[in-house]
Amino acid sequence: MTISKEQLSQARVLVVGDVMLDRYWYGAVDRISPEAPVPVVRVTREEERIGAAANVAYNVVTLGGQASLLTVVGDDEASHKLEALVAQTGIQAHFGRDAELKTTVKLRVIGRQQQLLRMDFENTPKTEILASQTAAFLDLLPRHDAVLFSDYGKGGLAHVSDMIARAKAAGKPILIDPKGSDYSRYQGATVITPNRAELQQVIGNWQDEVELQTKTQALRERLGLQAILVTRSEEGMTLFDAAGQVSVSAQAREVFDVTGAGDTVIATMAALVAAGLTLREALPLANRAGGLVVGKFGTATVSYEELFA
């Protein structure tokens, strides 16, 4: 299935969710510390990238679609850095600010092309700022062809059930990258995209493909979803819908880094669905995009040319 660059450029995706700033400190590791048995990293280079829902929106834009980003951040150095980085991407940003919120930062220390340490800085937003996000959501909704909720469990989607109901009433396809073990809040969405481990948290273990299908379809029907797309790493992906299930094989030639691969998969699905494709038509392309991105380091994206090469 191919879609023209022109069609994709008209596709408008509203991305709602938690954002974060990804910081990378690269360095040389030449010795072990005399204070403790840990490597000493002599930092030689620093890099900052947009992460979480911001990376999802960036994936939509890199592919050639249009993306708006609705989120809540703090009023701190990290939030202003994040806003400046987002401004360079072509994403339409709508940042709610909470002075008491610490903008999520993930700091990764890299030595010899390996992640040695990750440090997270974060807290949870107050409910008032999240409530104001709903008003902004209602304003943005009519101008978009699909809605993508990127849930990283940081508190930015406390009102997700209400937003899903509004989007559904407006007839918009709703795609969700879920978090946690309670999926009832995603009731009525078009599709959710858990990975294997995330799905296991919700439906428990399965012995074989038949049990996986039975349990996943039961969950889909209980939540009133059109589909559940399970990303299964080396086993590829499986889409469960009312017509049954369809699987695609993993396409990575060389797995270099799986960071952000789920972001790329759901962003590609959302952009293609916004452009008019069905979930089944979009599936092999989203799978291909995921395969391309794991061959790159860190949170990465895929272009239209790469996807349709």
Side-chain angles (χ1 to χ4, degrees):
M1 188 80 196
T2 305
I3 192 160
S4 75
K5 212 167 179 177
E6 177 60 31
Q7 278 174 286
L8 206 49
S9 71
Q10 301 301 312
R12 301 162 303 172
V13 180
L14 174 55
V15 179
V16 188
D18 305 304
V19 295
M20 56 187 73
L21 182 63
D22 284 326
R23 283 197 162 121
Y24 296 88
W25 288 0
Y26 299 91
V29 181
D30 303 319
R31 61 196 179 96
I32 300 297
S33 170
E35 303 159 2
V38 294
V40 175
V41 182
R42 185 168 45 82
V43 177
T44 53
R45 182 165 66 90
E46 296 179 26
E47 190 182 343
E48 290 173 319
R49 299 184 188 182
I50 55 176
N55 182 52
V56 175
Y58 190 32
N59 270 273
V60 173
V61 169
T62 309
L63 200 54
Q66 300 175 43
S68 298
L69 174 62
L70 180 61
T71 189
V72 181
V73 291
D75 193 5
D76 48 16
E77 178 266 341
S79 76
H80 296 289
K81 184 73 206 180
L82 199 52
E83 198 162 25
L85 288 170
V86 168
Q88 295 167 17
T89 61
I91 297 166
Q92 295 292 314
H94 302 271
F95 281 30
R97 289 194 182 276
D98 179 352
E100 292 180 23
L101 180 66
K102 188 193 285 275
T103 302
T104 301
V105 176
K106 287 188 178 176
L107 171 61
R108 296 173 177 90
V109 181
I110 317 287
R112 293 185 183 147
Q113 290 299 304
Q114 279 187 310
Q115 191 178 138
L116 302 175
L117 178 69
R118 192 183 96 184
M119 291 183 282
D120 293 2
F121 307 83
E122 62 191 24
N123 64 7
T124 307
K126 296 206 306 285
T127 48
E128 298 86 79
I129 194 91
L130 295 170
S132 71
Q133 200 185 34
T134 309
F137 177 76
L138 291 176
D139 180 49
L140 291 165
L141 189 58
R143 293 178 256 156
H144 293 82
D145 305 303
V147 183
L148 194 169
F149 292 102
S150 183
D151 196 345
Y152 273 79
K154 306 299 181 192
L157 285 176
H159 291 70
V160 71
S161 301
D162 181 42
M163 288 195 249
I164 289 169
R166 306 295 185 105
K168 195 172 183 183
K172 308 290 182 184
I174 304 153
L175 300 91
I176 301 178
D177 190 357
K179 238 333 157 268
S181 55
D182 178 19
Y183 282 7
S184 61
R185 57 209 224 98
Y186 306 131
Q187 194 131 4
T190 307
V191 61
I192 59 173
T193 62
N195 61 33
R196 197 167 41 193
E198 287 168 338
L199 184 66
Q200 216 162 14
Q201 270 189 296
V202 179
I203 65 171
N205 294 328
W206 52 87
Q207 298 302 313
D208 52 30
E209 288 294 312
V210 175
E211 189 178 4
L212 169 63
Q213 181 172 6
T214 304
K215 286 184 164 183
T216 306
Q217 290 287 19
L219 176 68
R220 184 185 68 78
E221 287 170 21
R222 190 166 73 248
L223 296 177
L225 309 171
Q226 275 185 33
I228 294 177
L229 173 62
V230 186
T231 54
R232 307 173 69 181
S233 342
E234 71 283 353
E235 292 174 14
M237 299 181 197
T238 305
L239 183 80
F240 298 89
D241 60 15
Q245 69 179 81
V246 56
S247 293
V248 285
S249 305
Q251 286 207 337
R253 285 159 298 287
E254 183 184 0
V255 176
F256 189 63
D257 189 352
V258 297
T259 309
D263 292 351
T264 300
V265 168
I266 194 168
T268 305
M269 288 291 283
L272 296 172
V273 166
L277 266 59
T278 66
L279 291 172
R280 285 195 170 215
E281 287 168 341
L283 176 65
L285 291 166
N287 182 53
R288 176 168 160 74
L292 287 166
V293 88
V294 295
K296 304 179 181 186
F297 182 74
T299 47
T301 57
V302 173
S303 69
Y304 179 89
E305 286 72 20
E306 286 176 294
L307 187 59
F308 293 100

